[in-house]
Amino acid sequence: MQRLFLFLISLPLLAGTAQAAATPAPSAPADTVQLTLPQAEQRFVQNNFSLLAQQYNVTAAEAQIQQAKLWDNPTISLEQNTYNPTTGKHFDMTRSGESIVQVQQLFSIAGRRKAAGRVAQQNALVEQFNFQDLQRNLRFQLRTTFYDLFFKQQTVGAYDREINSFRRTVAQYQGQYDKGNIALKEVIRLKAFLFQLENERQGLLTDIAGQEADLRVLIRDNAGTYYRPQADPVRLQGLGLGAYSVEQLADTAQIARADLRARQADVEQQNQNLRLQRAIAAPDLAVGYVYDRAGSYIQNYNALTLGIAVPIFNRNQGNIRSAQAQIESSKAQLNQQQLVVQNDVQEAYRLTQQTNQLYQNTNRSTGDFDRLITGIEQSYAKRNITIVEFLDFYESYKNNLVLLNQLRSNRMRAFEQLNFSVGRPIFRAE
């Protein structure tokens, strides 16, 4: 009765795993493309929409430099009498009619145009550094996604090999059960473990699908291509901190970090804006010419006009004080960013050092497991070990591969985080 009960509750599991055993492990899609990191970076720089959008912002800011240097347009006005009561003519354009022509040009004094041009130049520089910082952030996302995919696909390959091997084992013991040589509970445990492996593999494939989508967005691929990252294991393994110290990297970051340079450019922009506001306090000079045909004390009156605002009430005091406050604010933000950069490098260096040390001290060879697997299967077939010991070995083998690839991925992410913190790709394995 107990044997029948075990058989009934295991029917769904037996049916599902039997079908899985008869179906080969799904391979990569037909449109799989091998991709190296330099190829991915080239496509990223050329095609990424976010970079293109920010580049247009840079172009727009550079156009403002030209705009700031332009002269004001001259003003021309015409005054014509509509009715001449002496001659009875409308819009009398003759010598007896009245016509006034005035031309005026505004001249900025105290170097206002030059100051406005310098402000625009600094703004364009800020936008350029913002573009470089966006590129730094997106490049970090691209490179970490690339290495995550590379190691996760290797892990999937390990699952495929183990699942295919275990499917053969399950098929053999299913045959033994059909012959009445082994108990049903043993087959159920084998199939349950196979089902666990397949579920774990499917979860990994789900993660890979999300990262494949991220990669396609970064390099602008709308064809749904499945990419298989390619990397040199020897160069990956040989990657290290070398002779670089945290102090050297922190000093490099103070020069190379685009976000920090954007803050520095912002401070200079605020300084230039203060000069501009002080120049605006000086009034503009208006120079003009007037021709009056019949309305002055003489016919055909010609005159030169000069005009200037008297700075009694408005001397641009508020904007000058605002510009001074903006300088202090930008300096505080610069000091804050310098502190952030220094701590970013220190923390990234410490994490990279720890992760790399763990990796170097870890036995990265899986040869022992690979050599033992055949012997373990034979020992289990000869009943020299129990099913618990057999499954424990498979579980250890799987965990060893998964954790080792995770460690490799974490190590590469740590190096990329350090590159990101420094602002320059110092540590590369391609």
Side-chain angles (χ1 to χ4, degrees):
M1 184 69 181
Q2 184 179 6
R3 183 182 181 89
L4 178 60
F5 176 73
L6 287 172
F7 179 75
L8 290 175
I9 64 173
S10 64
L11 278 177
L13 181 61
L14 292 174
T17 53
Q19 182 180 2
T23 304
S27 58
D31 54 348
T32 298
V33 174
Q34 293 186 351
L35 184 70
T36 64
L37 189 52
Q39 291 172 340
E41 288 188 314
Q42 182 180 8
R43 294 183 59 178
F44 158 73
V45 172
Q46 294 175 347
N47 301 330
N48 185 266
F49 277 122
S50 297
L51 290 183
L52 291 175
Q54 182 60 30
Q55 186 61 59
Y56 286 126
N57 291 337
V58 174
T59 303
E62 290 174 346
Q64 291 301 313
I65 300 175
Q66 179 184 8
Q67 182 65 36
K69 295 179 179 179
L70 297 178
W71 289 79
D72 292 321
N73 292 322
T75 302
I76 301 177
S77 61
L78 171 65
E79 182 179 335
Q80 175 66 47
N81 65 327
T82 58
Y83 176 73
N84 189 339
T86 303
T87 62
K89 294 180 179 180
H90 292 277
F91 297 100
D92 187 2
M93 302 292 291
T94 65
R95 293 174 58 85
S96 60
E98 167 66 345
S99 300
I100 301 175
V101 178
Q102 184 174 3
V103 180
Q104 189 176 65
Q105 175 65 52
L106 195 67
F107 293 93
S108 297
I109 59 178
R112 184 186 303 179
R113 283 195 309 111
K114 184 181 293 185
R118 289 173 178 170
V119 171
Q121 286 177 343
Q122 287 301 125
N123 183 61
L125 194 58
V126 170
E127 289 296 334
Q128 180 65 38
F129 288 139
N130 287 338
F131 169 77
Q132 294 176 9
D133 190 52
L134 175 64
Q135 191 176 48
R136 179 179 72 98
N137 282 272
L138 293 179
R139 191 184 298 274
F140 170 72
Q141 183 180 349
L142 172 71
R143 293 176 66 90
T144 53
T145 300
F146 180 91
Y147 284 120
D148 282 347
L149 277 173
F150 175 72
F151 290 112
K152 282 183 179 179
Q153 287 175 354
Q154 285 195 334
T155 303
V156 169
Y159 269 102
D160 289 341
R161 291 190 298 273
E162 187 170 0
I163 288 173
N164 289 334
S165 174
F166 212 80
R167 280 173 176 167
R168 291 192 297 269
T169 300
V170 169
Q172 293 173 359
Y173 281 83
Q174 179 67 46
Q176 291 296 319
Y177 165 74
D178 294 339
K179 296 177 181 179
N181 296 332
I182 59 174
L184 175 63
K185 62 181 181 180
E186 195 163 349
V187 178
I188 291 176
R189 290 201 61 176
L190 292 173
K191 291 187 175 182
F193 186 75
L194 176 60
F195 184 65
Q196 174 189 334
L197 292 178
E198 291 171 336
N199 271 326
E200 291 175 0
R201 177 183 180 276
Q202 186 58 44
L204 195 58
L205 290 177
T206 301
D207 293 341
I208 288 176
Q211 291 185 314
E212 286 279 349
D214 292 340
L215 180 62
R216 287 193 291 268
V217 170
L218 287 168
I219 63 177
R220 203 175 82 181
D221 179 1
N222 58 1
T225 306
Y226 183 88
Y227 289 100
R228 187 176 293 277
Q230 301 296 307
D232 186 352
V234 176
R235 300 192 66 175
L236 292 178
Q237 184 173 340
L239 191 62
L241 291 172
Y244 288 99
S245 66
V246 64
E247 291 79 13
Q248 290 174 318
L249 295 176
D251 290 341
T252 302
Q254 295 293 327
I255 301 173
R257 280 279 289 263
D259 54 344
L260 183 57
R261 297 183 70 184
R263 293 295 185 188
Q264 293 168 343
D266 183 63
V267 172
E268 182 59 27
Q269 181 184 12
Q270 298 306 326
N271 285 324
Q272 295 297 336
N273 182 54
L274 177 60
R275 295 187 179 95
L276 173 61
Q277 297 306 320
R278 286 172 174 167
I280 291 176
D284 293 330
L285 175 65
V287 179
Y289 164 77
V290 175
Y291 168 76
D292 191 336
R293 175 183 292 169
S296 185
Y297 71 98
I298 60 173
Q299 289 284 334
N300 298 321
Y301 171 79
N302 293 272
L304 175 68
T305 64
L306 296 175
I308 189 170
V310 181
I312 298 176
F313 305 109
N314 183 358
R315 298 187 302 276
N316 208 34
Q317 305 98 311
N319 287 333
I320 291 175
R321 290 184 60 187
S322 175
Q324 291 171 337
Q326 289 297 326
I327 290 175
E328 298 305 318
S329 174
S330 60
K331 286 181 179 179
Q333 292 177 2
L334 173 60
N335 292 333
Q336 171 70 15
Q337 194 62 28
Q338 287 174 335
L339 182 61
V340 168
V341 169
Q342 184 176 2
N343 281 278
D344 282 351
V345 174
Q346 291 174 348
E347 186 62 28
Y349 184 88
R350 186 180 301 111
L351 176 62
T352 304
Q353 198 174 40
Q354 293 172 352
T355 307
N356 189 54
Q357 185 176 4
L358 175 61
Y359 175 77
Q360 299 299 338
N361 294 335
T362 300
N363 182 11
R364 301 183 296 275
S365 174
T366 60
D368 293 340
F369 280 97
D370 294 336
R371 288 191 297 269
L372 282 174
I373 186 66
T374 302
I376 290 295
E377 291 177 347
Q378 293 176 351
S379 297
Y380 178 58
K382 296 177 181 178
R383 321 305 288 176
N384 292 331
I385 60 175
T386 64
I387 187 174
V388 175
E389 294 172 319
F390 177 64
L391 295 180
D392 181 68
F393 175 81
Y394 260 98
E395 182 73 16
S396 299
Y397 177 75
K398 183 248 318 183
N399 289 340
N400 181 69
L401 291 176
V402 171
L403 293 177
L404 181 57
N405 282 330
Q406 184 63 50
L407 175 59
R408 290 167 174 164
S409 179
N410 291 341
R411 174 174 171 266
M412 292 308 302
R413 178 175 284 272
F415 274 107
E416 291 303 327
Q417 182 68 47
L418 184 55
N419 285 333
F420 176 75
S421 300
V422 174
R424 182 177 299 170
I426 296 177
F427 308 98
R428 300 176 69 101
E430 69 278 0

